Amino acid sequence: ISFSDPNSAVQKIPEGSLVVFPQGCAEPSRFYQAFVEEVARFRHLRVVSGLQFGSYPFLARGLQDNFCYTTWHVGARVQSLVKAGRISYTPMRYSDIPKRFANADVVVIHTSAPDDNGDVSLGVSVGVTRQLALTARLVIAEISDQMPFTCGESTLSCEHIDVFIDG
């Protein structure tokens, strides 16, 4: 695999796209930093994700001006933004997420390093991410040696990934 720098990865996101960010404890921090740095290039981006265990760093700049953000899980860190109408909340069953966002324009994932077979693992935060990545038009993966390689339905072939970032 060959790595892109995070800013170049963000620049590959087409204007007007529906972009699904990872949820839970999968936080592609280098991608999020680049997103904040590059967000001014967008005017109509739609970003969605579920609960983030971190601080939602991608909301630091451009919210409502360059992109809108919708979540299907309102955690404590974004409750005030929902109440203020700055982000949207869409209630849905967890099992409905893969159907609702199938064929998303872009899915961002955080993975382990590839194994000898060319597979990466979504590690400790699989959820619906694998299903969404398999149907996305563009998959951006931040590869991290801090993400453990777990087995089962957590693996994804590198052939399904379009852009790699070294995490």
Side-chain angles (χ1 to χ4, degrees):
I1 63 175
S2 68
F3 290 101
S4 294
D5 72 85
N7 292 67
S8 295
V10 173
Q11 291 168 8
K12 292 181 187 301
I13 299 173
E15 171 62 29
S17 291
L18 169 63
V19 183
V20 181
F21 282 175
Q23 59 187 351
C25 52
E27 290 218 6
S29 56
R30 293 195 69 217
F31 174 85
Y32 285 165
Q33 180 181 348
F35 181 80
V36 170
E37 292 169 5
E38 298 288 333
V39 75
R41 68 180 288 277
F42 300 111
R43 292 290 169 256
H44 303 288
L45 201 67
R46 297 172 297 147
V47 176
V48 299
S49 79
L51 177 68
Q52 301 274 316
F53 289 164
S55 63
Y56 294 79
F58 55 88
L59 297 177
R61 185 183 315 165
L63 182 61
Q64 293 184 311
D65 294 327
N66 305 102
F67 72 100
C68 62
Y69 175 65
T70 302
T71 184
W72 55 82
H73 189 130
V74 179
R77 291 193 169 125
V78 294
Q79 284 178 352
S80 63
L81 293 172
V82 172
K83 287 179 184 175
R86 297 202 54 215
I87 67 173
S88 300
Y89 167 61
T90 301
M92 69 178 78
R93 290 188 173 116
Y94 197 74
S95 61
D96 290 337
I97 295 167
K99 292 177 266 185
R100 176 81 182 260
F101 299 111
N103 303 308
D105 298 308
V106 182
V107 171
V108 179
I109 61 177
H110 188 202
T111 73
S112 71
D115 68 5
D116 293 338
N117 296 321
D119 293 334
V120 294
S121 171
L122 297 168
V124 296
S125 194
V126 179
V128 296
T129 304
R130 183 176 184 275
Q131 292 168 281
L132 295 172
L134 289 172
T135 64
R137 292 182 182 95
L138 175 70
V139 177
I140 300 172
E142 183 166 319
I143 307 292
S144 172
D145 62 359
Q146 298 299 305
M147 183 64 82
F149 195 100
T150 58
C151 299
E153 291 290 317
S154 69
T155 60
L156 186 68
S157 171
C158 286
E159 293 175 1
H160 291 287
I161 299 170
D162 303 290
V163 180
F164 296 90
I165 300 170
D166 187 9

